[in-house]
Amino acid sequence: MKLLTANFVQCSVKACSATPKCFPLHFDQQTADVPLELAHEDVDFSPEFIYNILPRIDWPALLITARELGNNMLPETTPEIENPNAPENEQILRDLHTLLLETQIIQGSMRCENCNHIYFIRDSIPNFLLPGHLVQ
Amino acid sequence: MEEKEAEQLEQEHVHEVYDRIASHFSQTRYKPWPIVERFLQSLPAGSVGLDIGCGNGKYLSVANPGIYIFATDRSAALVRIAAAERRARGADVGVADGIEMPVPSGRFDFAISIAVVHHFATRARRVDAVRSVLRGLREGKEEQGGKALIYVWALEQGGSRRGWDEGDSQDVMVPWVTRRKKKEGEEEEERVEKRYYHLYRKGELEEDIAAAGGVVVENGYERDNWWAVARR
Ligand SMILES: [Zn+2]
C-alpha cells in the first residue's frame, strides 16, 4: 500500500464514519505478529502528477500519517506551488513523490481511533473487511 | 428475502465463486468496455477516484496516467491479481466490501462500479451498494462535483447467446464451467460454479440511483448492459 492511499481510507464501521476520529487510520500501535515493514519502490518522477494531486490531499491527516511512520520533514501546511517545472520547486515535489508514491507499506496495522479496530496490511495489500459482529 | 439470507447467498454464489475462479476469470476478462474506457480517459489529470469491485484490476491500466485510483474488491484472490496491475504511479488496491467502503465521504472526483451492483441479492442491498459508490464523491453543482459510472447486466439481451429478455425472471444463477485435466491421458474434470445475478430491466438502474439519493446525468445500453453516469 502506497503511503498516499492512507490519505484516502478510513474505518469501515458504519457507526465510525459519522465521527471525525475514523480518519486518518493510525500506524502508532503495531503488533508482533505483523510488524511494520516499509520499503522504497522506485516510481518514475512526474512533477505534474504531484502538483495536480496536491489539492486533493488532506494535509493535516498526511502530517499525522507521516509522523507515525517516522517522517517529520513535512511543512505544516500544503506547499504553495505555482509552476511545477520551476527549478526552485523540484526538491519539494521530489520529496513528496518519494513519500507519497515510493513509500510502500509492505505490512503492518492501522488502527481506528474511534473503535480501536485494527486493519492489517499484508503483502502490501490492506484488508478492510469487518468481522461479522462489527457489521451493522 | 431477508438481509441475512441475502448475505449468505452472496457469500456462497458470489464471493466464494470469485475466489475459486479468480485465475480463470483473469484470463478471460481482458477487454474493456468502450463506455468505461471513454469515462476513464475523459478524467482530467489530478483526479482521484475509486474502482469499487475492481475484479482483476483490468481498468487500472486503461485510465490516463495522470489520475489516481484506489481499487477495491471483496475477493482477496482477485485483489492479489489486481495488485500486479497497479501501475507504478497511479493506482493502489485493497480488499473491501462494496457496502462497507473504508473511504471518506465527499473527497473523490470519480468512482466506477463495473459489473458489481447486480451481485447484491435484494433491492435494499443494491440501493445501499449504489449509495456507497456515490458517498465518496465530491459534492458540487454539475462539473464541480464528482461523478460515478455504474454498469450492470441487462435483462434485455435477446441478441446474446443467453437469450434472456423482457418478462423473464430477473434473479438468476449463471453457470461458470471450468475444465482441467488432472494428468495427461486422464479425462477432463468439469466443475460448474453458479454465480448469482440480478438482471436489471430497463429503467431500474436509474430508479436505484434515485433511491440512493443520486442524480443521473447520462445513461444508456451497451452490449447487454445498462449503464449510467450519476452525481450526488
Ligand atoms: Zn472505527
Side-chain angles (χ1 to χ4, degrees), chain B residues 2-75:
Chain B
E2 294 288 324
E3 172 99 4
K4 277 269 165 281
E5 204 184 326
E7 281 180 40
Q8 186 55 39
L9 187 143
E10 291 161 17
Q11 178 64 29
E12 229 171 278
H13 289 285
V14 181
H15 311 322
E16 289 174 12
V17 175
Y18 277 111
D19 273 340
R20 282 196 297 268
I21 70 176
S23 59
H24 295 273
F25 184 77
S26 191
Q27 288 155 20
T28 53
R29 297 269 152 143
Y30 53 85
K31 230 181 173 172
W33 279 303
I35 292 286
V36 185
E37 207 169 352
R38 194 194 71 181
F39 179 85
L40 286 173
Q41 289 176 356
S42 73
L43 299 164
S47 300
V48 173
L50 300 165
D51 180 352
I52 301 175
C54 67
N56 61 12
K58 67 173 168 174
Y59 292 111
L60 299 183
S61 53
V62 169
N64 94 49
I67 70 175
Y68 197 73
I69 306 180
F70 178 49
T72 62
D73 202 278
R74 184 69 167 64
S75 160

Side-chain angles (χ1 to χ4, degrees), chain A residues 1-2 4-5 7-10 12 14 23 43-44 46 49 52-53 56 58 101 124-129 135, chain B residues 45-46 48 66-68 70 74 79 86 88-89 91-97 100 102-104 107-109 138:
Chain A
M1 183 179 122
K2 292 181 172 77
L4 175 59
T5 300
N7 205 253
F8 293 98
V9 294
Q10 68 177 32
S12 324
K14 213 173 192 170
F23 174 84
V43 173
D44 290 341
S46 161
F49 184 86
N52 285 326
I53 221 96
R56 297 280 175 261
D58 183 312
L101 301 179
S124 208
I125 297 172
N127 190 323
F128 295 97
L129 295 183
V135 180
Chain B
V48 173
I67 70 175
Y68 197 73
F70 178 49
R74 184 69 167 64
V79 172
R86 58 184 154 185
R89 193 180 302 131
D92 210 349
V93 299
V95 179
D97 183 78
E100 309 286 331
V103 296
R107 295 240 343 257
F108 297 89
D109 302 291
R138 276 191 296 108

Side-chain angles (χ1 to χ4, degrees), chain A residues 28-99:
Chain A
D28 56 350
Q29 289 173 24
Q30 297 295 322
T31 66
D33 292 354
V34 191
L36 185 67
E37 186 187 334
L38 304 180
H40 177 97
E41 277 181 14
D42 284 335
V43 173
D44 290 341
F45 176 52
S46 161
E48 287 86 3
F49 184 86
I50 301 297
Y51 169 79
N52 285 326
I53 221 96
L54 218 44
R56 297 280 175 261
I57 292 174
D58 183 312
W59 199 262
L62 178 63
L63 284 174
I64 292 169
T65 304
R67 206 179 306 128
E68 289 174 353
L69 293 174
N71 180 314
N72 295 304
M73 306 293 280
L74 287 176
E76 283 302 306
T77 54
T78 309
E80 283 179 32
I81 291 167
E82 276 178 21
N83 175 4
N85 292 308
E88 69 267 24
N89 292 327
E90 186 177 337
Q91 195 55 51
I92 178 74
L93 290 170
R94 268 195 190 278
D95 288 349
L96 285 169
H97 169 81
T98 301
L99 181 74

